[in-house]
Amino acid sequence: MALNFFTTEYAVKIHDKILEISGGRDGIINYGNIDSSLTHIQNDDYYPTFEEKMTHLIFSFNKFHAFNDGNKRTSIAMGAFFLEINGLDFFIDKFIIEMENIAVTVADNIIEKDLLLEIITSIINEEDYNEILKLKIINALEQVNPDKENINLGTGFYRDLY
């Protein structure tokens, strides 16, 4: 199956539309980070499968900060648009819902690129995450608080600050 890709100019338009809708500081930090991501996903030697291409697209826009603001939101929108232009638009709602939380964990180095690939592959190919993938996600999230202390912010959390 021949895949469809989009241009740097269209990626910038997607980003600008996101900021128009949800706010943020406009501007591009590095055009090279936009061009590089969009060019690399077209190389089957680097990214032979659709899922690998989509993972790199999302990961690179999330992590490499091509824009002043909205990089996580843009990474989700790029992934959704990549699904749409390749005839997989029936996954878009599921993808966006799942990625809203995942994008933050990717940005915070909690979920690495390999695990992101497993998540994206599951979103596209499975009805729900399998048990092994769920455990991998839980284990990644536990690294945020490895001592597993019970953090209870409750309504009076601020009282112990002084």
Side-chain angles (χ1 to χ4, degrees), residues 106-119:
V106 170
D108 289 341
N109 299 315
I110 297 166
I111 290 185
E112 299 294 330
K113 192 173 184 182
D114 290 341
L115 183 52
L116 179 62
L117 173 60
E118 289 186 56
I119 292 167

Side-chain angles (χ1 to χ4, degrees), residues 26-43:
D26 64 348
I28 297 169
I29 295 173
N30 188 332
Y31 273 100
N33 287 345
I34 302 168
D35 288 332
S36 175
S37 302
L38 296 174
T39 301
H40 278 96
I41 65 171
Q42 295 180 49
N43 187 330

Side-chain angles (χ1 to χ4, degrees), residues 84-143:
E84 182 177 338
I85 65 173
N86 285 290
L88 300 171
D89 49 317
F90 45 90
F91 291 117
I92 291 174
D93 289 343
K94 178 183 175 185
F95 168 78
I96 290 172
I97 291 167
E98 294 296 325
M99 290 306 298
E100 284 180 342
N101 291 320
I102 298 297
V104 172
T105 61
V106 170
D108 289 341
N109 299 315
I110 297 166
I111 290 185
E112 299 294 330
K113 192 173 184 182
D114 290 341
L115 183 52
L116 179 62
L117 173 60
E118 289 186 56
I119 292 167
I120 288 171
T121 300
S122 178
I123 290 170
I124 294 172
N125 297 302
E126 300 171 353
E127 190 170 323
D128 192 12
Y129 300 145
N130 64 52
E131 297 304 315
I132 294 171
L133 181 54
K134 287 178 184 177
L135 288 173
K136 287 180 180 181
I137 295 169
I138 290 168
N139 287 336
L141 294 173
E142 284 181 343
Q143 299 310 307

